[in-house]
Amino acid sequence: KINEVSNLERVVKENSNTKVLTYKGNDITVEAVNSLLNILFSKFVNGLGGKKIAIIGLGNIGTKLAMKIVEQGAYVYVSRRNKTYQNLIRKTINLIKPKYNESIVQGLKNKNLVELDVIIAIANEKRIITKEIVSKLKNKTIIIDVGKDNLDKGVISECNKKEIDVFRLDISSAFISSISSLIYSDENL
């Protein structure tokens, strides 16, 4: 029984002449969030350097994103339901990040909310950004919703009161372009 994509790819490659093109939606999502962050902070000399960014949801996407933005000098605060995994991931990123990079990844606490420049919701959980969380954010903080239905009811109106920009990032429109690019690259090898 084949129940993993990597196993399926291997089996097809070993047993047929069929081409297999790998598409990783999670990697495209990470690149999309990183691109958005870099656009939003492009007017600053240091870009993301020194910015305080929270990531709620530390699965595949959140972990890759945390690594990418800490390498760019952002101070990253992370949150995951399973605190054992959260601490393991946090320690691992801090261990493997560039040696002279002063930014770190640490656990998100309520007291950090007031310091944040950006909060990114990537959790596989509904309504994790609440009005209570928004009330603790400083004016003009940025919220990026990457998950599905991560914002609680009433959050948008609370954000408007504090001039907090909310972005809903969805890569589904980029899917066709990404697949076309994979096919084009494969045909021209």
Side-chain angles (χ1 to χ4, degrees):
K1 183 176 178 180
I2 301 170
N3 55 9
E4 291 184 27
V5 172
S6 60
N7 288 340
L8 177 59
E9 288 175 310
R10 181 183 49 78
V11 169
V12 170
K13 285 178 182 178
E14 289 174 356
N15 296 299
S16 74
N17 292 328
T18 304
K19 290 183 181 180
V20 177
L21 301 175
T22 303
Y23 167 77
K24 295 185 176 182
N26 286 354
D27 291 345
I28 292 172
T29 302
V30 170
E31 290 303 323
V33 176
N34 187 54
S35 293
L36 176 59
L37 289 170
N38 281 286
I39 289 167
L40 293 171
F41 293 103
S42 63
K43 65 183 176 187
F44 297 97
V45 175
N46 293 338
L48 294 181
K51 299 296 180 233
K52 295 180 178 180
I53 301 174
I55 298 174
I56 300 176
L58 204 55
N60 182 289
I61 296 170
T63 300
K64 289 178 179 181
L65 183 61
M67 183 68 201
K68 190 172 265 306
I69 62 179
V70 81
E71 287 178 337
Q72 295 174 65
Y75 293 89
V76 181
Y77 299 86
V78 295
S79 179
R80 180 180 170 132
R81 281 179 288 189
N82 184 319
K83 298 305 178 199
T84 302
Y85 284 139
Q86 173 187 302
N87 289 329
L88 180 62
I89 293 166
R90 179 185 57 76
K91 288 176 184 176
T92 301
I93 293 172
N94 285 330
L95 182 67
I96 64 175
K97 71 180 178 68
K99 183 177 180 180
Y100 298 106
N101 185 332
E102 293 180 10
S103 59
I104 58 171
V105 178
Q106 53 193 309
L108 178 63
K109 295 181 171 61
N110 274 336
K111 68 179 184 176
N112 304 125
L113 292 172
V114 72
E115 306 169 4
L116 296 176
D117 298 298
V118 179
I119 186 165
I120 304 168
I122 310 179
N124 190 14
E125 187 176 337
K126 293 182 186 274
R127 300 185 172 113
I128 56 170
I129 304 292
T130 63
K131 289 194 288 187
E132 179 185 345
I133 289 174
V134 172
S135 73
K136 295 176 183 175
L137 299 174
K138 65 184 177 185
N139 287 1
K140 299 194 178 190
T141 299
I142 296 167
I143 295 176
I144 303 173
D145 179 12
V146 183
K148 301 244 189 299
D149 198 22
N150 282 176
L151 304 181
D152 201 3
K153 293 179 181 178
V155 164
I156 300 293
S157 60
E158 288 298 313
C159 288
N160 289 336
K161 293 175 189 173
K162 296 183 81 171
E163 298 181 65
I164 293 174
D165 289 330
V166 179
F167 294 87
R168 168 73 186 119
L169 190 66
D170 188 343
I171 66 146
S172 56
S173 63
F175 178 78
I176 301 284
S177 173
S178 298
I179 295 301
S180 297
S181 177
L182 282 172
I183 293 169
Y184 177 78
S185 297
D186 184 62
E187 289 173 350
N188 291 304
L189 289 178

